Amino acid sequence: MLPLRRLWSLQFPCVCQSLRYLYKMSLAVSLRRALLALLSGAIFILTVLYWNQGTIKTQAYNEALERHPSHRDASAFPIPVEKSWTYKCENDRCMRVGHHGKSGKRVSFISCSMTCGDINIWPHPTHKHVLSPHTHSFSVDDVQLQVDTTHREVRKQLQTVFDWFLKDLRQIQRLDYAGSGSEPAVSESSSSKSRRHTQQDSEPAATLFGATFGAKQAGDLSSVQVKIAVHKSGDLNFSLDNDESYYLTSNTDGHRLLVEITANSYFGARHGLSTLQQLIWFDDEDRLLHTYASSKVKDAPKFRYRGLMLDTSRHFFSVEAIKRTIMAMGLAKLNRFHWHLTDAQSFPYISRYYPELAEHGAYSESETYTEQDVREVAEFAKIYGVQVIPEIDAPAHAGNGWDWGPKRGMGELAMCINQQPWSFYCGEPPCGQLNPKNNHTYLILQRLYEELLQQTGPTDLFHLGGDEVNLDCWAQYFNDTDLRGMWCDFMLQAMARLKVANNGVAPKHVAVWSSALTNTKCLPNSQFAVQVWGGSTWQENYDLLDNGYNVIFSHVDAWYLDCGFGSWRATGEAACAPYRTWQNVYKHRPWERMRLDKRRKKQVLGGEVCMWTEQVDENQLDNRLWPRSAALAERLWTDPSDDHDMDVVPPEVFRRISLFRNRLVELGIRAEALFPKYCAQNPGECI
């Protein structure tokens, strides 16, 4: 037997070799783990940097990219952050002050505007309003709804409305900017040309990583509880007798904001929610929503009918474009969308009973509206407190859509279709006028009225058209007839068919456009209202009121928004001029200029801006309508007194409409700029 020491000496090299092997193996594993950890960390950092590469780009590279529109993010928010400026309130005006490289909290323009001077909403409330000088911050996820009503359908409708309210707030907070749904993704506006990287350059690393993982930033409110109370009326049908008043209050209880909107009807509650939306703003300094610590607003409209008309015949407009327009109307508290659905140029509506109208009259198969489209627009409009009033213009303005009668054994439904020279037989090509002696013409109108009433819901107002009848057209066929009397008979027949279509009940107000024929007094003033489109100084304004008609003013010299873009044809009069500025729209008070007494002023149902679309398609729609239509909204909702010169608008009105225009842009409306951005940043200086 070997000695123990010898045995150990013989085995020790083996043990040492094993230990060295194990050591090398453990070292290799450790190195691999370390390398794997480093690699994972590098991949993580590169991923973060890739998704936030705008943060670390050099300024020169950023500026180079911004000179090339192809590099711009189409979903970027159209109102850039202005990190270079802070604002302070002096004498009810926000003064711009440089903030370049300074530490400390910056006051954003919107936060200064909302806390400096008078209430900054549009239209201005008609009654009392009180706002706290203190504000709170919160996120849209903190907002909750409580509905207090015994009316089941009102509760259901308000819950739907609140969902859309939250969707708008999410977009305002820039959480769902290029979101889905009926709100279209909006490409970057011209105002986005300012450098966007300034928003990110000053963000700390924590914000960069927090944004990457969607971390929520908390405000100083834990909840915003919105209570909507409607106790009086459960009616969801539109009427000129709807009570649209509301009372809004808000108070802070610890870390909770309690908002209560009280109204006598759904429609008043909806307007209260529009006001609440304008009492909330996004502050780009803390990236949260802000509102007042307490507020009181009591409000009601001066006029019942506050309308916007869109002609979808001369150019086709998508359902999305129409809904976008209605959304803006709701925010401005306009309440009637007058849909001039058809005209001589095209008949885009696909009728259930008479699809031939669209087959012969639409521009193309894709430029049409189905029954479902009309119903969808009407349901969406109700969410924003807007009634859809469709119009099939008759008997004039009826073109190729009506030329199929003989093929169906129904005779000539219309006359003078495409007749030349067109200037003899209509106002603009193509010509066409319905046949007043063909009973099939009235049956078709009855069916169309029936369909449209089913799709848009019960109403106390319907529009029959009735304007610009060319008597020379009819004279070719009925030269031994009283042509003026023929027009009267046609309108009374159309009225009778409307009554049948409306389940035997005539709407309380049946509207027609003004013309030389409306002064014949053949239409009963107890049933017919006249939409006056002529000049505000024309004698017809006084005559119609003297004859007892209720009127809706749409004067061409103030509220025609298509004017001022030049003639669209080489000869003849094809345009109105000049351009109607928002100040023209705002300053127009025909009831005051006409010096109407109290009785005649009651005959004024309200007013309507008109967008005829000879020179407008979907590409220009937003900036032709907005913010000029908003100017009408305040004129008809608030009707502020006019103590200034004829063409002078008070500076505070400039300030409020400029901010409202920005609110529209936030929501994806490509509203027209009012003045240089410098003037917006320096309120009152340019005026």
Side-chain angles (χ1 to χ4, degrees):
M1 179 179 293
L2 292 170
L4 184 60
R5 183 181 296 172
R6 177 62 177 161
L7 182 62
W8 173 250
S9 65
L10 290 173
Q11 293 179 345
F12 182 73
C14 296
V15 173
C16 291
Q17 288 177 2
S18 298
L19 289 172
R20 283 196 297 269
Y21 177 75
L22 291 172
Y23 175 75
K24 290 178 180 179
M25 288 294 294
S26 63
L27 185 62
V29 171
S30 299
L31 285 172
R32 282 199 297 270
R33 286 176 177 170
L35 288 171
L36 184 60
L38 287 171
L39 181 61
S40 299
I43 292 173
F44 172 78
I45 292 171
L46 288 172
T47 301
V48 172
L49 293 178
Y50 174 77
W51 289 110
N52 296 276
Q53 55 187 306
T55 308
I56 60 171
K57 290 171 185 170
T58 64
Q59 180 173 338
Y61 185 49
N62 269 321
E63 292 175 347
L65 284 181
E66 287 160 3
R67 285 193 291 270
H68 299 281
S70 60
H71 290 285
R72 294 190 183 124
D73 181 3
S75 65
F77 203 81
I79 299 179
V81 178
E82 301 168 0
K83 292 287 187 181
S84 301
W85 306 104
T86 187
Y87 292 84
K88 60 181 180 179
C89 182
E90 292 184 359
N91 299 321
D92 292 341
R93 284 179 53 190
C94 289
M95 307 297 293
R96 189 178 74 166
V97 180
H99 195 68
H100 311 277
K102 294 182 180 179
S103 60
K105 186 176 180 181
R106 178 181 63 91
V107 178
S108 66
F109 173 72
I110 181 66
S111 287
C112 179
S113 298
M114 295 301 292
T115 55
C116 184
D118 191 20
I119 189 170
N120 211 332
I121 66 171
W122 193 277
H124 196 282
T126 54
H127 300 305
K128 66 178 182 179
H129 58 275
V130 180
L131 301 177
S132 168
H134 305 293
T135 65
H136 291 302
S137 60
F138 64 98
S139 173
V140 64
D141 297 326
D142 302 323
V143 184
Q144 303 161 1
L145 171 68
Q146 178 187 352
V147 178
D148 179 13
T149 183
T150 58
H151 307 293
R152 182 181 175 186
E153 291 303 313
V154 171
R155 177 184 300 275
K156 182 179 177 182
Q157 184 71 15
L158 286 173
Q159 288 169 340
T160 301
V161 166
F162 198 74
D163 289 341
W164 282 93
F165 172 74
L166 292 180
K167 186 170 184 177
D168 288 344
L169 286 188
R170 288 187 66 83
Q171 184 154 333
I172 292 169
Q173 197 175 342
R174 313 186 184 190
L175 299 177
D176 291 340
Y177 180 62
S180 58
S182 70
E183 296 175 19
V186 181
S187 60
E188 184 174 281
S189 74
S190 59
S191 64
S192 307
K193 294 177 182 177
S194 301
R195 291 194 294 272
R196 291 192 303 272
H197 70 273
T198 55
Q199 174 183 344
Q200 299 170 337
D201 286 344
S202 61
E203 298 285 352
T207 304
L208 177 132
F209 284 88
T212 301
F213 292 107
K216 177 185 173 184
Q217 187 172 354
D220 54 27
L221 292 175
S222 61
S223 69
V224 177
Q225 299 178 6
V226 180
K227 179 182 177 181
I228 304 178
V230 177
H231 294 302
K232 188 174 181 181
S233 173
D235 196 356
L236 290 176
N237 296 326
F238 287 95
S239 164
L240 290 179
D241 295 326
N242 290 143
D243 186 342
E244 298 180 272
S245 64
Y246 67 90
Y247 182 47
L248 182 152
T249 63
S250 67
N251 291 285
T252 305
D253 180 14
H255 291 283
R256 297 186 307 156
L257 183 70
L258 307 177
V259 181
E260 184 166 359
I261 298 171
T262 305
N264 292 325
S265 74
Y266 159 74
F267 304 99
R270 184 62 189 87
H271 294 319
L273 208 55
S274 293
T275 292
L276 177 60
Q277 184 169 328
Q278 291 193 54
L279 295 178
I280 296 171
W281 66 94
F282 174 75
D283 190 299
D284 55 41
E285 183 69 8
D286 59 14
R287 304 189 63 77
L288 288 167
L289 298 175
H290 286 239
T291 192
Y292 302 97
S294 64
S295 63
K296 291 182 181 180
V297 179
K298 186 177 182 181
D299 205 4
K302 291 291 184 66
F303 289 94
R304 297 178 285 169
Y305 188 106
R306 306 177 303 280
L308 183 155
M309 189 223 72
L310 179 63
D311 162 27
T312 61
S313 171
R314 288 166 178 85
H315 276 100
F316 178 84
F317 295 85
S318 68
V319 168
E320 293 305 318
I322 294 172
K323 289 164 74 173
R324 195 168 68 244
T325 299
I326 288 170
M327 177 186 67
M329 290 178 64
L331 191 63
K333 299 185 179 71
L334 292 170
N335 65 351
R336 300 290 187 272
F337 176 68
H338 177 180
W339 192 348
H340 189 81
L341 192 54
T342 69
D343 213 290
Q345 284 77 7
S346 75
F347 198 108
Y349 173 67
I350 302 176
S351 166
R352 180 194 326 159
Y353 297 107
Y354 301 103
E356 296 93 340
L357 290 163
E359 290 173 7
H360 289 251
Y363 289 127
S364 68
E365 292 182 1
S366 63
E367 294 172 288
T368 54
Y369 303 107
T370 64
E371 289 184 84
Q372 179 56 34
D373 290 334
V374 177
R375 185 176 291 108
E376 180 182 334
V377 168
E379 291 174 354
F380 180 83
K382 182 171 285 190
I383 291 171
Y384 282 91
V386 177
Q387 180 186 16
V388 174
I389 301 174
E391 176 198 350
I392 304 292
D393 204 353
H397 298 282
N400 292 314
W402 295 84
D403 62 353
W404 47 270
K407 298 177 184 177
R408 283 277 304 269
M410 301 175 73
E412 295 291 348
L413 300 173
M415 301 165 167
C416 313
I417 296 178
N418 295 321
Q419 189 166 351
Q420 297 292 338
W422 61 262
S423 58
F424 287 15
Y425 305 106
C426 60
E428 61 185 53
C431 293
Q433 207 156 279
L434 295 183
N435 185 348
K437 297 292 188 179
N438 187 338
N439 284 331
H440 290 293
T441 300
Y442 299 107
L443 176 60
I444 293 172
L445 288 175
Q446 176 186 319
R447 293 296 195 187
L448 290 172
Y449 299 156
E450 178 184 323
E451 292 179 37
L452 294 172
L453 286 166
Q454 290 173 356
Q455 293 151 25
T456 58
T459 180
D460 67 342
L461 190 147
F462 196 87
H463 208 298
L464 295 179
D467 66 324
E468 294 185 331
V469 170
N470 188 293
L471 299 180
D472 290 333
C473 167
W474 278 349
Q476 298 175 101
Y477 306 90
F478 313 111
N479 58 6
D480 58 346
T481 307
D482 175 11
L483 299 177
R484 291 177 178 269
M486 184 177 291
W487 174 83
C488 294
D489 291 342
F490 184 98
M491 299 312 300
L492 291 172
Q493 276 266 35
M495 167 73 175
R497 297 294 181 141
L498 173 62
K499 181 177 179 179
V500 174
N502 198 39
N503 298 316
V505 179
K508 184 177 180 181
H509 305 280
V510 178
V512 295
W513 292 99
S514 62
S515 69
L517 299 174
T518 50
N519 281 325
T520 59
K521 297 188 287 188
C522 62
L523 304 180
N525 58 23
S526 59
Q527 293 176 297
F528 282 86
V530 180
Q531 185 168 358
V532 185
W533 68 267
S536 59
T537 60
W538 292 9
Q539 183 60 37
E540 68 172 353
N541 292 281
Y542 301 92
D543 292 343
L544 289 168
L545 291 170
D546 289 344
N547 291 335
Y549 290 103
N550 290 325
V551 298
I552 299 167
F553 287 132
S554 292
H555 291 136
V556 64
D557 51 355
W559 292 345
Y560 263 39
L561 302 185
D562 56 299
C563 295
F565 294 93
S567 179
W568 51 270
R569 62 174 191 253
T571 59
E573 295 182 4
C576 51
Y579 177 81
R580 298 356 178 188
T581 66
W582 73 265
Q583 295 97 319
N584 297 146
V585 176
Y586 188 85
K587 295 286 287 185
H588 188 55
R589 299 182 77 200
W591 41 90
E592 291 297 322
R593 296 189 182 190
M594 294 171 66
R595 298 181 179 177
L596 300 181
D597 57 30
K598 187 175 292 187
R599 180 178 66 84
R600 284 176 172 78
K601 191 173 181 179
K602 284 184 178 180
Q603 294 172 237
V604 181
L605 300 179
E608 183 173 282
V609 287
C610 296
M611 178 53 70
W612 301 102
T613 59
E614 285 91 345
Q615 296 173 284
V616 180
D617 65 10
E618 199 154 324
N619 295 302
Q620 300 100 9
L621 180 63
D622 287 3
N623 56 54
R624 294 285 176 92
L625 286 177
W626 305 104
R628 291 189 293 164
S629 297
L632 176 89
E634 179 154 303
R635 175 51 57 205
L636 296 176
W637 179 278
T638 314
D639 191 27
S641 60
D642 193 353
D643 298 328
H644 297 75
D645 294 336
M646 294 293 287
D647 297 322
V648 175
V649 174
E652 70 88 13
V653 177
F654 272 86
R655 177 178 64 89
R656 285 189 301 105
I657 198 171
S658 175
L659 201 67
F660 184 77
R661 182 260 177 189
N662 286 352
R663 290 187 180 277
L664 294 175
V665 174
E666 278 185 324
L667 293 172
I669 305 296
R670 300 175 181 89
E672 183 179 47
L674 295 172
F675 35 48
K677 186 169 183 177
Y678 175 85
C679 301
Q681 289 182 325
N682 297 270
E685 183 172 333
C686 304
I687 302 170

